Amino acid sequence: MSETETYYEFGTAADRWDRAQMFFEAKEYLTAARILGGLVAAAPEQVAPRLLLARSYYHSARLGKAEGELRRILELDPVETYAHLMLGRTLERQGRGAEAAPHLRMAAALVGDFGPGAEHS
């Protein structure tokens, strides 16, 4: 293992999570993704690290990887609003608007935004 790999895997899962968030907030998306990849591999059922990994991929224009993570999140949690929104945006960014539309509608419905003219109680 190289020194660089050691740094990414150093510390507890909580330490690595904090480090990944720090890199994400600093817009170092590839570094954040590298750290998050290890966290996701260690705990594949956890949604939060997968969502931040998908966001890191999205912001670094690794759209295929972002799409894969978002689809896995929705398998784990079909009503994860932000995953639907991000998947819709990821598909749109790839020129796949027809595939994006149902995810964008689902995200809007999950937050109670039923579009113009909808009555709110």
Side-chain angles (χ1 to χ4, degrees):
M1 190 180 314
S2 75
E3 246 179 69
T4 305
E5 289 172 308
T6 305
Y7 174 74
Y8 294 117
E9 294 305 316
F10 178 78
T12 65
D15 293 335
R16 292 189 314 250
W17 172 246
D18 289 343
R19 191 175 307 121
Q21 289 180 303
M22 177 192 70
F23 278 108
F24 184 87
E25 289 168 13
K27 298 184 180 178
E28 295 288 337
Y29 303 118
L30 294 175
T31 304
R34 191 165 175 183
I35 296 166
L36 290 160
L39 288 172
V40 166
E45 73 289 349
Q46 290 188 358
V47 170
R50 275 191 188 279
L51 194 53
L52 192 57
L53 179 57
R55 292 175 66 201
S56 297
Y57 286 150
Y58 178 86
H59 287 296
S60 60
R62 295 163 78 187
L63 301 179
K65 287 183 174 262
E67 179 183 348
E69 288 302 326
L70 292 162
R71 290 189 186 281
R72 180 68 180 117
I73 290 165
L74 292 172
E75 287 173 12
L76 295 168
D77 185 356
V79 293
E80 169 49 61
T81 305
Y82 196 66
H84 279 289
L85 177 64
M86 279 215 53
L87 181 54
R89 288 184 178 169
T90 300
L91 293 168
E92 279 183 330
R93 199 166 160 194
Q94 295 177 75
R96 295 161 58 193
E99 287 177 71
H103 294 287
L104 296 172
R105 281 193 304 270
M106 177 65 81
L110 288 168
V111 295
D113 178 4
F114 298 104
E119 290 193 28
H120 299 294
S121 346

